[in-house]
Each structure stands twice: as C-alpha cells, then as structure tokens.
C-alpha cells in the first residue's frame, strides 16, 4: 500500500529561524512529489518535484527530492508568523491518486 | 482564470439525515475532479474521483456516494449520515494531460451529531 510519512508532526519556532520539514514516501510507479500549505481551509500548492536533485525555490521556501532514498525536504528560511500553517506532502503514482501524509504543523512565534 | 466553489461552507447534521455537498469549477473544461476528507489528526483521504461526466471511481468503501451530472459539477451525497462522517470535505480539480498538480476548493466543515 502506498504511504507518505511526514516528520515532525509539529514544530514551534521563533521568527527568523530556519526550518526543515521531512517527507518520505513509498509510492508505486512514482511520478511526482507535491508540497501544499494549508492555513485554515484549502491547501494551496507550493511545489511539484519530479527529478532528483533539482531544487525548487520560491522566495524563502525551497524543496528538493531524492528519488534514490525516497524522500523530500521543504526548507523555510527566515521564518515569519505568516508561515504558520500545516504543510502537506503528497506522492503521485501511476493512478489518479495523490497519497497525502498527515502534515507538519508549523507554528512561528514572534 | 479557474476557480472552484464549494457549498455549504459549514454544516451540522443529525445522525441518519441525508447529505448533499456541491462542488463546481469555472474556467476550465473536462477537468478531473476529486473528493477528499480530512479528519482530525489524519491526512487527506481520497474518497472519489471522476475523469468525466457520469464516471465515478471510489477509493474507499463507505457510507458516501458521488455523482458528476455535468462537466464541472461534482456532488458528494449520503442517504444516512454516521457520526464517523464528520470531517472537513475538500473538492479538488486538475487539468487532464497535465501534471499531478491538483487545486483545492475552500472546503465544507461537516459535523454530525
């Protein structure tokens, strides 16, 4: 059965800290790994990664995929209170399904 | 640009009552559509997906059903709600032939009492 595991489940940091969120996956016929940010309602898309070693960047957020070791990390530098959210990782295999992890709840305190 | 709508935003229903949640997408044609449930402390669980009008695939056995009467309309239903149906229901879409990137609606918070 396909599985995505995120760690840690929750994290509390101070503004300005750098955080690393982890995602490991076991997905049959793996095609891509996606990261979403969920604040109060709808998850919003952050990154999609398909190739190992290619780092995606958007401002203070970046993500990289390791297809050999079957994991991805999401880095957030110089965190701000607006980064507080649940970060979801999902793996896509050969079907229509996205298999989601339980998420990492990030709290950034001022 | 594409937008996705869900209603109602919140719903409180008694056990045994029926359910109908609606999702519509604008600005795209022939999207793939998805229903997810997010229960407390758990990840997003795919319930149903549809690749076209009248085509529904069920991912987990459950008390719910889905229908797609029009290209951009996706409905989640139940004849009799259970307490375990409580949760946050999210509709999502993606363009056929593109990557796995799915876009989510605002969700419906369902509480069954």
């Amino acid at each position: 059965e396909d599985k995505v595991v995120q760690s840690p489940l929750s994290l509390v940091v101070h503004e300005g800290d750098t955080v690393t969120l982890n995602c490991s996956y076991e997905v049959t016929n793996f095609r891509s790994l996606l990261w979403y940010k969920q604040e109060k309602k709808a998850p919003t898309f952050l990154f999609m990664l398909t190739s190992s070693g290619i780092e995606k960047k958007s401002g203070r957020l970046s993500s990289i995929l390791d297809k050999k070791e079957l994991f991805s990390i999401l880095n957030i530098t110089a965190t701000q209170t607006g980064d507080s959210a649940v970060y979801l990782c999902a793996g896509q295999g050969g079907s229509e399904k996205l298999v989601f992890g339980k998420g990492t709840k990030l709290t950034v305190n001022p | 640009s594409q937008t996705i709508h869900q209603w109602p935003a919140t719903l409180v229903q008694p056990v045994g009552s029926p359910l109908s949640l609606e999702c519509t997408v604008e600005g795209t044609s022939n999207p793939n559509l998805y229903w997810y449930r997010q229960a407390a402390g758990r990840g997003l669980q795919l319930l149903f997906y549809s690749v076209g009008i009248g085509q529904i695939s069920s991912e987990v056995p459950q008390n719910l059903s889905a229908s797609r009467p029009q290209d951009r309309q996706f409905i989640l239903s139940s004849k009799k709600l259970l307490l375990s149906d409580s949760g946050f229901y999210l509709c999502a879409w993606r363009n056929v032939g593109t990557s796995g990137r799915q876009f989510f609606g605002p969700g419906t918070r369902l509480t069954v009492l």
Side-chain angles (χ1 to χ4, degrees), chain A residues 36 38 42 45 48 96-97, chain B residues 32 34 38 59 94 102 105:
Chain A
Y36 287 84
Q38 186 176 25
F45 174 80
M48 187 178 76
E96 280 295 315
K97 283 179 72 168
Chain B
N32 286 0
Y34 309 84
Q38 189 174 34
E59 285 295 309
R94 79 169 181 93
Q102 295 179 14

Side-chain angles (χ1 to χ4, degrees), chain A residues 4 7 17 22 31 55 67 80:
Chain A
V4 172
S7 64
D17 288 350
N22 303 295
R31 285 196 277 174
E55 186 178 15
K67 289 172 77 172
Q80 302 171 358

Side-chain angles (χ1 to χ4, degrees), chain B residues 31 40 45 76 88 91 93 96 98:
Chain B
Q45 180 186 34
L76 184 69
F88 190 47
C91 180
W93 71 274
V96 176
T98 63

Side-chain angles (χ1 to χ4, degrees), chain B residues 37 46 48:
Chain B
R37 177 169 57 207
L46 180 64
F48 301 95

Side-chain angles (χ1 to χ4, degrees), chain B residues 1 9 12 24 29 39 41 44 48 54 61 79 87 96 99 102 105-106:
Chain B
S1 65
V12 180
T24 59
S29 296
L44 284 166
F48 301 95
K79 291 182 180 177
V96 176
S99 65
Q102 295 179 14

Side-chain angles (χ1 to χ4, degrees), chain A residues 31-32 34 36 38 40-48 50 86 88 92 95-103, chain B residues 9 32 34 36 38 41-46 49 51 59 88 90 94 99-107 109:
Chain A
R31 285 196 277 174
S32 61
L34 295 92
Y36 287 84
Q38 186 176 25
K40 294 205 172 171
K41 292 191 174 180
T44 54
F45 174 80
L46 294 175
F47 299 114
M48 187 178 76
T50 55
V86 175
L88 298 169
Q92 184 195 18
S95 70
E96 280 295 315
K97 283 179 72 168
L98 287 182
V99 180
F100 281 85
K102 292 184 179 180
Chain B
N32 286 0
Y34 309 84
Y36 289 89
Q38 189 174 34
R42 300 180 65 177
L44 284 166
Q45 180 186 34
L46 180 64
Y49 70 89
V51 299
E59 285 295 309
F88 190 47
L90 287 158
R94 79 169 181 93
S99 65
R101 191 164 111 175
Q102 295 179 14
F103 300 91
F104 287 86
R109 176 78 57 192

Side-chain angles (χ1 to χ4, degrees), chain B residues 67-87:
Chain B
S67 62
R68 185 170 177 175
Q70 299 180 45
D71 180 44
R72 288 168 287 177
Q73 184 185 30
F74 205 21
I75 297 172
L76 184 69
S77 304
S78 174
K79 291 182 180 177
K80 288 186 178 182
L81 283 168
L82 307 172
L83 286 174
S84 58
D85 292 323
S86 293

Side-chain angles (χ1 to χ4, degrees), chain A residues 4 13 20 25 33 38-39 50 59 61 66 78 83 106 108-109:
Chain A
V4 172
V13 301
T20 298
Y25 63 90
L33 191 289
Q38 186 176 25
E39 294 181 77
T50 55
L61 277 67
D66 186 326
D83 295 325
L106 174 65
V108 181
N109 290 324

